[in-house]
Amino acid sequence: MVQPVDLVNSVQHPAVVTLEQHHSLPADIVVGNMHRMPVDMLGDLPSPDTGTAEDPSPTVGSPDIASDRIDARWWSKGTGSNGMPAGVPMPTAKDAEFYNMDHRRRGKAFVFNHMNFDPRLQLRPRNGTNCDRDNLRINLRQLDFEVEVYDDLPFKEIERILESASMEDHSDADCILVTVLSHGELGILYASDQPYKPDRLWSHFSADKCRTLAGKPKMFFIQACQGDQLDHGVNMTRTETDAGAASYKIPNHADFLIAYSTIPGFYSWRNTTAGSWFVQAFCHVIQREAHSRDLLSIMTRVCRKVAFDFQSNVPGDYVMHEKKQIPCVTSMLTRDIQFTRK
């Protein structure tokens, strides 16, 4: 089997991630046709007791003077820009509670759907994923997105499309949304021809690289396994006790929302006819509450639906039978997202 390849230049000091050698096939679980998959284990951070180093904080002061410090053992100036370029229009007032969703366009939505893979990867076809693709296309169009759907693309094509999108003018758009439906492992997604790190999806859209999306929501939804652990669940029983400043500066990585179908280290389930649990739940809630609730509230309800309404049904396999799943949502949003009608 071809082992996952780290496509990003890794930092050699300190070394954090170690990819274990595995012999089983990586794939997200398929209901009715299941197999285990490997998981990439994270190595331990270097011991803080090894060696001595001066305070790496860029701000040096006496203990009696209050100053901001960085929580890191090593510090460097890095490669990022020194700040937002001058002249970037503010899409939303500094203290606004909601993102401005009143631009002329909602924005673009990209759906990267993967069912078949290069035989060298030894990955099984993801039967049922086309149902997810079609449901997402319908629901995102109903939210006024300009939806672009791609099937079984190699990684270079995915990166070319996203890099090109980051260079477009989004001044008249509310936001951008990207969805990936594929096989995965911990810290790895699969294009049709090779593995890649998930951050390659959103790295082009930071505020310093895509100025016309600065201060606007950038949403990423990923349906893929993140490991080979199974969630056995726990039975619950009822008990009796139960306008602002003229201008402002933002971090380059603000205003992102990244939603995974499962938590790190665990399988993600997909029905071969109805599609994945995560996309089924997402489309169900979006259809009913997209215009009445903010997106994080919607994602809470998606998590609840996946957690309570879905359970694996594999009576012939005791190990895989009656297992559960919970999505994982990471938010760097600074306001609420509500899809107001166009």
Side-chain angles (χ1 to χ4, degrees), residues 188-262:
I188 286 177
L189 295 174
Y190 282 91
S192 64
D193 63 336
Q194 69 178 74
Y196 63 96
K197 294 213 168 184
D199 62 2
R200 300 294 287 268
L201 297 171
W202 51 79
S203 60
H204 299 295
F205 297 101
S206 57
D208 57 336
K209 295 178 181 177
C210 184
R211 297 175 60 184
T212 55
L213 281 175
K216 298 179 179 180
K218 295 162 277 282
M219 297 160 283
F220 295 81
F221 297 86
I222 299 172
Q223 164 58 42
C225 278
Q226 290 206 73
D228 64 352
Q229 297 182 64
L230 291 166
D231 190 331
H232 305 284
V234 173
N235 290 325
M236 302 293 292
T237 58
R238 171 177 284 183
T239 66
E240 295 181 358
T241 59
D242 273 354
S247 64
Y248 57 96
K249 192 174 184 178
I250 64 172
N252 284 328
H253 297 92
D255 308 306
F256 282 84
L257 181 137
I258 302 167
Y260 282 89
S261 60
T262 189

Side-chain angles (χ1 to χ4, degrees), residues 40-51:
D40 300 330
M41 303 303 296
L42 294 177
D44 293 331
L45 286 170
S47 169
D49 298 326
T50 57

Side-chain angles (χ1 to χ4, degrees), residues 24 28 30 40 53 61 70 72 75 84 93 100 121 124 129 133 155 216 219 243 255 269 307-308 318:
S24 56
D28 56 352
V30 180
D40 300 330
I70 57 173
W75 177 82
M84 284 286 294
N100 177 11
L121 296 176
R124 297 185 182 181
T129 189
R133 174 201 64 193
F155 173 68
K216 298 179 179 180
M219 297 160 283
D255 308 306
W269 291 83
F308 298 164
Y318 173 78

Side-chain angles (χ1 to χ4, degrees), residues 30-34 269 312-322:
V30 180
V31 179
N33 185 16
M34 286 142 302
W269 291 83
S312 64
N313 181 29
V314 197
D317 189 334
Y318 173 78
V319 174
M320 300 296 183
H321 190 46
E322 296 184 343

Side-chain angles (χ1 to χ4, degrees), residues 2 4-5 7 26 112-124 126 150-160 162 180-185 188-198 200-201 223-224:
V2 178
V5 180
L7 300 178
F112 295 103
N113 177 53
H114 297 278
M115 183 166 124
N116 301 300
F117 299 84
D118 189 311
R120 294 174 299 175
L121 296 176
Q122 302 182 40
L123 296 170
R124 297 185 182 181
R126 299 184 60 255
Y150 300 94
D151 292 313
D152 298 338
L153 288 187
F155 173 68
K156 286 186 178 179
E157 273 297 293
I158 296 174
E159 189 159 59
R160 181 192 64 79
L162 293 178
V180 174
L181 313 169
S182 188
H183 285 307
E185 303 172 22
I188 286 177
L189 295 174
Y190 282 91
S192 64
D193 63 336
Q194 69 178 74
Y196 63 96
K197 294 213 168 184
R200 300 294 287 268
L201 297 171
Q223 164 58 42

Side-chain angles (χ1 to χ4, degrees), residues 23-305:
H23 302 288
S24 56
L25 300 181
D28 56 352
I29 287 287
V30 180
V31 179
N33 185 16
M34 286 142 302
H35 52 280
R36 296 174 178 273
M37 58 162 283
V39 57
D40 300 330
M41 303 303 296
L42 294 177
D44 293 331
L45 286 170
S47 169
D49 298 326
T50 57
T52 59
E54 296 180 358
D55 185 352
S57 173
T59 304
V60 180
S62 69
D64 296 328
I65 300 176
S67 62
D68 293 330
R69 302 294 182 91
I70 57 173
D71 288 327
R73 293 187 59 209
W74 291 276
W75 177 82
S76 68
K77 293 182 179 179
T79 57
S81 66
N82 293 325
M84 284 286 294
V88 176
M90 291 188 297
T92 310
K94 179 181 178 182
D95 297 323
E97 293 187 9
F98 290 86
Y99 286 101
N100 177 11
M101 304 297 278
D102 294 326
H103 295 87
R104 186 179 66 84
R105 298 184 298 121
R106 179 73 75 208
K108 286 193 173 181
F110 299 90
V111 178
F112 295 103
N113 177 53
H114 297 278
M115 183 166 124
N116 301 300
F117 299 84
D118 189 311
R120 294 174 299 175
L121 296 176
Q122 302 182 40
L123 296 170
R124 297 185 182 181
R126 299 184 60 255
N127 296 321
T129 189
N130 288 347
C131 185
D132 285 345
R133 174 201 64 193
D134 296 340
N135 283 336
L136 284 168
R137 174 163 40 198
I138 292 170
N139 282 276
L140 293 175
R141 281 179 176 171
Q142 289 176 349
L143 293 178
D144 302 303
F145 281 100
E146 304 154 41
V147 183
E148 296 184 14
V149 174
Y150 300 94
D151 292 313
D152 298 338
L153 288 187
F155 173 68
K156 286 186 178 179
E157 273 297 293
I158 296 174
E159 189 159 59
R160 181 192 64 79
I161 290 168
L162 293 178
E163 185 174 9
S164 175
S166 71
M167 294 186 290
E168 293 178 7
D169 185 358
H170 302 272
S171 299
D172 63 346
D174 296 333
C175 58
I176 194 168
L177 185 148
V178 176
T179 300
V180 174
L181 313 169
S182 188
H183 285 307
E185 303 172 22
L186 184 59
I188 286 177
L189 295 174
Y190 282 91
S192 64
D193 63 336
Q194 69 178 74
Y196 63 96
K197 294 213 168 184
D199 62 2
R200 300 294 287 268
L201 297 171
W202 51 79
S203 60
H204 299 295
F205 297 101
S206 57
D208 57 336
K209 295 178 181 177
C210 184
R211 297 175 60 184
T212 55
L213 281 175
K216 298 179 179 180
K218 295 162 277 282
M219 297 160 283
F220 295 81
F221 297 86
I222 299 172
Q223 164 58 42
C225 278
Q226 290 206 73
D228 64 352
Q229 297 182 64
L230 291 166
D231 190 331
H232 305 284
V234 173
N235 290 325
M236 302 293 292
T237 58
R238 171 177 284 183
T239 66
E240 295 181 358
T241 59
D242 273 354
S247 64
Y248 57 96
K249 192 174 184 178
I250 64 172
N252 284 328
H253 297 92
D255 308 306
F256 282 84
L257 181 137
I258 302 167
Y260 282 89
S261 60
T262 189
I263 59 175
F266 281 77
Y267 278 123
S268 184
W269 291 83
R270 168 173 41 86
N271 186 278
T272 55
T273 56
S276 64
W277 298 357
F278 177 60
V279 174
Q280 285 185 67
F282 176 77
C283 291
H284 177 90
V285 179
I286 279 287
Q287 284 177 353
R288 290 157 178 79
E289 306 193 43
H291 301 298
S292 60
R293 295 187 186 275
D294 70 277
L295 184 58
L296 279 181
S297 296
I298 287 172
M299 294 311 300
T300 298
R301 283 152 181 80
V302 170
C303 289
R304 184 167 69 225
K305 186 168 182 62

